[in-house]
Amino acid sequence: MAASQVLVAGWYGAGNLGDEMLLSLFVDGCRELGARAVALSFDPAGTTARHGIAAVDIADLAAVEAAMSASGLFALGGGGLLQTHDRFTLDDLDDFDAPGIGSYVRPLLLARQLGVPTLLWAQGLGPLEGGEPRAIVRDLFDWVDHACLRDAGSLALLRALGSQRDCRVAPDPAWAWPLPAVEPLPGAGPAPRRIAIVPRAWPSAPEWPLRLQQALQASEAGAGTHLVWLASQTASVPGRVASDIDFIRSLMASFEGRFSQELQVHSDAAGFTRALAGCQATIAMRLHAQLLSLRLGLPTFCLEYDAKMSATSAQAGVGEDARLDVSSPAGDWNTRLPAWLEATAGLARARGAAIDGLEREALAHREVLREAIAGAGRRPPAPRWPAPARDWLAAWHRRRLGRELEAVRLEAAMREARLSERLDACAEALADARDQAAALGENLHAREVELASLQASRSWRLTRPLRSLRRMASGRGDVAVPASAPTPASAAPATTAGDLDWASFQAKVLSRRGDYRGVFVQECVIDWNVALFQRPQHIALAMARAGYLVIYRTGNFGGDDVQGFREVSPGVWLTNRPEVDGLGGVVRSIYSTGHSRTPESLAACPRDNVLVYEYVDHIDPRISGTPENVARLAALRDWAMGGGVDLVAATSRVLHAEACAALGPERCLFVPNGVDTRHYRDPAQASVVLPEALQAFRRRHARLVGYFGAIAPWLWYDALAELVALRPGLGFVFIGPDYFGGAARLPVAPNVLHLGAVDYRVLPAHGAVFDACMIPFEPGDIARSTSPLKLFEYFALEKPVVVSSQMIECTVFPEVFHGDSPATLAAALDQALAVAGDGGFRARLATLADQNDWDRRAARLDRAARRGAVRAGAL
């Protein structure tokens, strides 16, 4: 008996145009065969609107179970789903909420448990690294009822796994997707050549964008080219994938001024195809963009990042001169791509000889679907992984209930602890107040007695006329003398009590420098004791934990007040002494925001120093202040980028790309900001008594959205004013010192609270009361080039984060929500608050915090600095 309802799962509702093409083919095939398709989707409403079918949230266990029970066939739809680019483990099969490839396997296990026939449709396998993923895939193919593959490489991998399953192999079903009507190719003329570029982020080959840029510039045929950037992944799925859009915008920023360019975003494959057809050639790094371009007959240069693109190039007969592995060295890029551009200039559309055959052969997948719907198949053998008779439904429900119970227990314990703390604090405050009142009463009575006695004395009466004359002679104004005034530097003592002088520091500390991994000198950039504990202090502490002797230089601009050397943390010495300039064999860190050193003074350092330029911010008057300061910092940057330093450590991808273009990638590090996870998870934070203003604000608002950091000119104040008005039910808390009058620009509203600066030692306790956090930087260079330290601190607090969309160092994380207007920021806040209590989401944030701990950043600096030290002869 044929199935009347077919449930299908895949990467659907996630904004990927290729997967949506495959779903449309699957839905059309079901309709032609008299069946009704229902999809498991990451966006059920969007899938229903786009394809006209019922859809179920792939994360809703009850709804997935109901849909499976009502279906006569379950299919895992086409595409490269079974691979280890993403997480793929046995443990994930036990947890219905675990992200990664397990989300595709679990519905197959459910279908088997419920006795629903199964189909693995048009699968592209691999890569599969590790024993567990290989065993799972092998056993899936051994027991499913029907299966087909999209390339010979997938079949070869299946055989290598040990499966002898008979599988039909045919080209990707998208070869048979009906092409829309397209406009004729633009003719030759004065208009610039339009080249479509369809990229994707690929961390395994981070240098490919720079090499593409250099190769295009190296080609005479590339001159005057108009670049049409097309997004294939148009949406973000938290915890899984980021949209291509922000990545493309960052690429466009690096190409700015070199080419004319535009970004096109299309919501469906038909619009995407027409956009391709409006160009004269394509540079494709997405499989289905590659396939569509070849079907349109466009000259296509294939940037191959894995085996599936290579297989498609081979199937379509693409020559080696139009193919390039993205990890290829720069020399290959600079020869092959320019040669292809010149060879294809002015060519008309011409489909390759193999294309017609691929379109016909791809129809074989529809025949496999017909057989599966008709009921053909065999009973599956027992699987080879543990517990073949496992009750998966019960296991998934137990895991979910366990997480929910643990969350309830934790919340109850936290509430009880907070209530107990408040009661204790109130009792102590009441007792103190009573004691103070009693003491003040006694003191007042004594003073009253003393005053009465004085005024009754004979001397008081006799001197009354003299007091009147003194008041008349002195006039109206008394001069107020400050309680304390700054001491001139020339009058400062050589050392402050407890600080070591230079000779003592040499004898007691530097004499033992061989006991340390090295000596790390942080040049003066920010005082140690300031309201905002920043990257320099964190890196100093982390380098000390890594085994370095750290010397942290200060200008005593804030509260340091050191005269000599003072140990502020184990292995970290604060100093204002100039003798540090002459230390040899050290790693010396200079910040792009620091004014204390000039190129001339740094050039005079001992030659065995390893100089590290920390490129931490776009140089901007809103950060650096006066034009004189900006000019000074720009001169230091230009000297560093011109080869004056050994290494450049950039905190953002934009700054890293700029440094690589100047110095070459071998001398440039990507070292974003980080977090001290120990501090943010310290149980002692739970005992901190919060300010009454914050506690009262918390009581008035059910949900709090928080920000901590500088209240500075680069915040997006106009958007904040509208956002606060759009969400009057939320409380917005701002913590941080006022920079250049920023506090006066904060919205004034009943649902806004500005606490001012909070001591870093108790900052985690304040952040813990937030339900979501935000980083609302104003769009512009600062937003695009900043790696906000607070992002990782929010991760450590396990709070969902909302940022402005141009903050590409934040939006590179799929877990981060973002908006480019007050309305989209408000929608992003709604999404963030919806997952604030999700245990799985919070666990992902905790993992991100661990992956971005300051100790990892210090280890990266240590490895690079030691290589630089060997070259300099310091080690």
Side-chain angles (χ1 to χ4, degrees):
M1 177 178 175
S4 60
Q5 176 170 301
V6 180
L7 185 63
V8 60
W11 185 237
Y12 306 141
N16 186 284
L17 295 178
D19 289 281
E20 298 304 326
M21 287 171 60
L22 295 175
L23 179 57
S24 70
L25 286 163
F26 190 92
V27 170
D28 290 345
C30 288
R31 286 172 179 155
E32 291 176 10
L33 297 166
R36 178 178 67 255
V38 176
L40 301 184
S41 171
F42 291 90
D43 176 16
T47 296
T48 297
R50 178 173 291 176
H51 298 284
I53 61 171
V56 173
D57 188 341
I58 195 170
D60 187 337
L61 177 55
V64 172
E65 180 184 357
M68 188 73 76
S69 299
S71 300
L73 175 69
F74 172 73
L76 184 61
L81 304 180
L82 301 176
Q83 39 79 14
T84 50
H85 289 312
D86 298 303
R87 180 184 171 93
F88 192 2
T89 69
L90 275 174
D91 287 343
D92 289 345
L93 304 187
D94 270 335
D95 186 353
F96 194 81
D97 299 313
I101 304 305
S103 60
Y104 304 127
V105 178
R106 290 189 292 266
L108 285 164
L109 301 177
L110 177 60
R112 190 181 189 199
Q113 180 171 340
L114 298 179
V116 177
T118 48
L119 163 64
L120 286 169
W121 188 69
Q123 292 296 312
L125 303 184
L128 290 171
E129 304 294 337
E132 291 183 359
R134 296 171 73 87
I136 294 171
V137 172
R138 176 191 62 212
D139 294 325
L140 286 177
F141 274 86
D142 279 351
W143 62 254
V144 295
D145 297 283
H146 306 274
C148 54
L149 299 169
R150 71 179 183 188
D151 57 73
S154 294
L155 180 62
L157 177 55
L158 186 62
R159 295 290 181 258
L161 299 180
S163 173
Q164 298 304 313
R165 175 62 185 264
D166 183 21
C167 288
R168 194 171 307 183
V169 178
D172 191 294
W175 286 106
W177 180 73
L179 289 173
V182 297
E183 296 296 326
L185 185 69
R193 184 184 186 192
R194 293 169 61 86
I195 296 184
I197 304 181
V198 190
R200 67 172 298 159
W202 197 246
S204 299
E207 303 301 330
W208 79 259
L210 178 62
R211 289 176 178 161
L212 173 64
Q213 176 186 320
Q214 292 171 341
L216 286 173
Q217 287 180 277
S219 169
E220 292 183 6
T225 295
H226 181 75
L227 306 182
V228 180
W229 299 90
L230 294 174
S232 178
Q233 177 71 46
T234 60
S236 295
V237 177
R240 296 294 295 272
V241 71
S243 161
D244 286 345
I245 296 171
D246 288 333
F247 173 66
I248 291 175
R249 284 176 175 153
S250 71
L251 295 180
M252 293 177 70
S254 67
F255 278 63
E256 190 69 35
R258 297 177 174 88
F259 299 93
S260 65
Q261 52 186 340
E262 64 180 283
L263 167 62
Q264 292 193 24
V265 179
H266 297 275
S267 60
D268 57 29
F272 184 90
T273 305
R274 293 188 184 98
L276 277 179
C279 299
Q280 282 90 7
T282 304
I283 299 174
M285 197 177 165
R286 285 280 188 179
L287 172 68
H288 289 99
Q290 171 195 25
L291 183 152
L292 287 171
S293 180
L294 292 168
R295 291 184 68 193
L296 290 169
L298 292 172
T300 305
F301 194 84
C302 305
L303 296 180
E304 299 171 359
Y305 62 90
D306 74 352
K308 67 185 181 184
M309 284 198 70
S310 301
T312 300
S313 296
Q315 287 175 336
V318 178
E320 290 296 324
D321 57 341
R323 300 171 58 181
L324 187 66
D325 188 303
V326 293
S327 61
S328 298
D332 291 352
W333 285 81
N334 291 335
T335 55
R336 197 170 302 177
L337 183 55
W340 174 81
L341 286 168
E342 292 165 12
T344 57
L347 287 183
R349 284 186 192 146
R351 283 162 53 108
I355 304 301
D356 290 343
L358 291 171
E359 292 177 341
R360 289 191 302 270
E361 293 166 19
L363 295 172
H365 293 293
R366 185 163 296 189
E367 177 60 21
V368 175
L369 177 59
R370 185 197 65 75
E371 293 171 0
I373 290 176
R378 59 185 179 84
R379 301 309 304 165
R384 299 175 190 171
W385 57 75
R390 182 73 180 272
D391 185 343
W392 296 101
L393 273 173
W396 295 332
H397 284 296
R398 278 197 302 271
R399 181 70 71 96
R400 276 195 168 180
L401 288 172
R403 267 199 300 266
E404 292 171 3
L405 180 60
E406 182 59 29
V408 169
R409 285 173 177 166
L410 179 61
E411 179 63 23
M414 292 176 64
R415 288 183 178 181
E416 182 180 359
R418 288 196 294 267
L419 180 59
S420 177
E421 290 167 10
R422 290 174 183 172
L423 289 174
D424 290 345
C426 287
E428 291 178 9
L430 180 59
D432 289 344
R434 285 171 175 166
D435 291 344
Q436 291 173 11
L440 288 171
E442 294 174 3
N443 187 47
L444 176 62
H445 178 69
R447 293 291 181 268
E448 287 173 343
V449 171
E450 183 180 350
L451 178 61
S453 175
L454 175 64
Q455 290 177 337
S457 68
R458 183 179 180 186
S459 62
W460 181 265
R461 292 195 301 271
L462 291 174
T463 57
R464 182 178 298 165
L466 297 176
R467 288 197 298 275
S468 299
L469 288 172
R470 181 182 178 186
R471 283 196 298 271
M472 292 174 63
S474 63
R476 299 191 307 162
D478 291 334
V479 177
V481 179
S484 63
T487 303
S490 59
T495 60
T496 300
D499 293 346
L500 300 181
D501 61 19
W502 172 243
S504 299
F505 183 70
Q506 284 182 301
K508 296 180 179 181
V509 182
L510 280 179
S511 63
R512 296 184 291 106
R513 66 184 292 175
D515 297 339
Y516 294 90
R517 187 170 179 82
V519 179
F520 181 85
V521 175
Q522 177 55 65
E523 289 294 339
C524 183
V525 59
I526 185 173
D527 277 20
W528 184 267
N529 296 292
V530 292
L532 284 180
F533 210 66
Q534 293 291 299
R535 178 185 177 96
Q537 293 101 316
H538 285 297
I539 288 289
L541 291 171
M543 293 299 281
R545 289 192 295 269
Y548 277 78
L549 170 61
V550 176
I551 300 174
Y552 189 98
R553 307 188 74 175
T554 175
N556 282 337
F557 301 118
D560 287 348
D561 191 28
V562 62
Q563 299 295 334
F565 293 83
R566 180 186 305 159
E567 191 171 27
V568 291
S569 184
V572 181
W573 289 83
L574 183 66
T575 185
N576 69 331
R577 299 303 302 170
E579 291 87 350
V580 176
D581 287 348
L583 280 177
V586 304
V587 179
R588 198 175 293 269
S589 169
I590 312 104
Y591 271 65
S592 62
T593 52
H595 302 83
S596 65
R597 300 303 299 263
T598 63
E600 294 76 16
S601 69
L602 289 168
C605 289
R607 295 185 63 82
D608 60 355
N609 281 197
V610 177
L611 300 185
V612 181
Y613 179 74
E614 288 265 6
Y615 200 9
V616 296
D617 275 315
H618 177 74
I619 295 176
D620 187 285
R622 287 176 294 176
I623 298 175
S624 307
T626 66
E628 293 78 10
N629 281 343
V630 171
R632 185 182 178 95
L633 296 180
L636 181 63
R637 176 200 59 200
D638 295 343
W639 175 78
M641 297 299 182
V645 298
D646 298 285
L647 298 168
V648 173
T651 58
S652 74
R653 288 164 177 80
V654 169
L655 299 178
H656 182 248
E658 180 184 338
C660 287
L663 277 179
E666 66 280 356
R667 292 173 64 182
C668 299
L669 314 175
F670 178 45
V671 189
N673 280 317
V675 61
D676 183 354
T677 53
R678 290 162 299 280
H679 182 53
Y680 277 82
R681 293 169 182 164
D682 186 352
Q685 293 291 331
S687 63
V688 173
V689 178
L690 298 176
E692 175 56 31
L694 180 57
Q695 296 185 50
F697 195 73
R698 167 87 268 185
R699 291 191 292 271
R700 293 199 303 271
H701 298 90
R703 311 296 290 275
L704 293 187
V705 178
Y707 166 88
F708 52 71
I711 310 301
W714 50 85
L715 295 188
W716 199 0
Y717 294 101
D718 292 341
L720 284 173
E722 292 188 47
L723 178 61
V724 165
L726 286 170
R727 292 295 182 269
L730 298 179
F732 291 83
V733 180
F734 296 86
I735 294 174
D738 182 8
Y739 275 32
F740 306 110
R745 300 178 62 191
L746 286 173
V748 177
N751 61 331
V752 175
L753 173 66
H754 177 215
L755 285 177
V758 167
D759 193 318
Y760 175 74
R761 290 172 292 183
V762 296
L763 185 59
H766 290 67
V769 304
F770 301 158
D771 296 287
C773 298
M774 62 179 177
I775 313 177
F777 279 25
E778 185 178 25
D781 288 337
I782 294 177
R784 285 190 292 269
S785 63
T786 298
S787 167
L789 188 152
K790 61 187 70 63
L791 171 69
F792 306 109
E793 294 176 330
Y794 293 161
F795 286 165
L797 290 169
E798 298 176 17
K799 305 296 182 182
V801 184
V802 175
V803 305
S804 42
S805 293
Q806 285 199 5
M807 302 191 70
I808 55 181
E809 290 302 318
C810 301
T811 59
V812 72
F813 296 99
E815 291 81 3
V816 173
F817 303 89
H818 60 92
D820 56 9
S821 66
T824 55
L825 283 170
L829 274 179
D830 296 340
Q831 293 175 306
L833 291 168
V835 299
D838 186 307
F841 186 79
R842 293 185 63 175
R844 292 203 299 276
L845 297 183
T847 299
L848 287 175
D850 290 334
Q851 292 170 350
N852 291 278
D853 190 271
W854 283 116
D855 286 347
R856 294 198 179 199
R857 304 295 191 244
R860 177 88 169 99
L861 278 174
D862 171 45
R863 289 192 299 271
R866 291 181 71 80
R867 289 197 302 271
V870 170
R871 288 195 301 271
L875 294 179

